[in-house]
Amino acid sequence: MKKTILLFVTSMFLLHSCSSDDNGGGTMPEPDPDGTPEPTVSVQLVNNATHGQILTDGNGNSLYFFSKDQDGQSACGEAGGCIDIWPVFHVEDLILDEGLSASDFGEITREDGDKQT
């Protein structure tokens, strides 16, 4: 009996942890009738209860602007662990959410050769 209860509780935990949240990010696109997936945004505006509207990637991860990144140079390098804390965001074909302007985004090549949006 204890094994059955444990199995049930574990199953419910797994099902709950795999369910999607409703924060507006990270949803997979539904394919249209001909089987082609609908395009998704790579940068979106999301309402955050604490900070208001914030930028996130298509998976709902918060994006940031590092004010020390200037003149096409990234100030967040591998030394000091900065890159481990703030991973680089880059997409080849930027698709923006409504209300965002492509002119507000750019691309640089970092010292390590990685590109950054």
Side-chain angles (χ1 to χ4, degrees):
M1 180 68 175
K2 287 182 183 181
K3 288 182 181 180
T4 304
I5 292 172
L6 180 60
L7 180 61
F8 176 76
V9 170
T10 303
S11 299
M12 294 307 292
F13 174 77
L14 288 173
L15 287 173
H16 177 72
S17 65
C18 293
S19 68
S20 64
D21 59 22
D22 54 3
N23 69 356
T27 58
M28 295 298 293
E30 293 290 327
D32 65 15
D34 70 357
T36 307
E38 291 293 318
T40 60
V41 297
S42 43
V43 178
Q44 60 191 351
L45 281 171
V46 174
N47 288 320
N48 177 280
T50 304
H51 303 290
Q53 285 192 319
I54 62 170
L55 292 176
T56 70
D57 67 9
N59 294 320
N61 299 312
S62 298
L63 298 177
Y64 66 95
F65 172 77
F66 191 43
S67 62
K68 292 182 181 180
D69 288 352
Q70 295 181 5
D71 301 322
Q73 299 294 316
S74 173
C76 181
E78 294 179 20
C82 175
I83 204 71
D84 294 328
I85 297 169
W86 300 106
V88 173
F89 172 74
H90 178 258
V91 291
E92 283 294 323
D93 298 314
L94 192 62
I95 302 172
L96 301 174
D97 199 3
E98 187 175 319
L100 297 175
S101 174
S103 63
D104 292 329
F105 295 86
E107 179 179 281
I108 62 171
T109 302
R110 300 168 39 81
E111 286 182 12
D112 59 9
D114 287 343
K115 292 185 177 188
Q116 178 176 330
T117 300

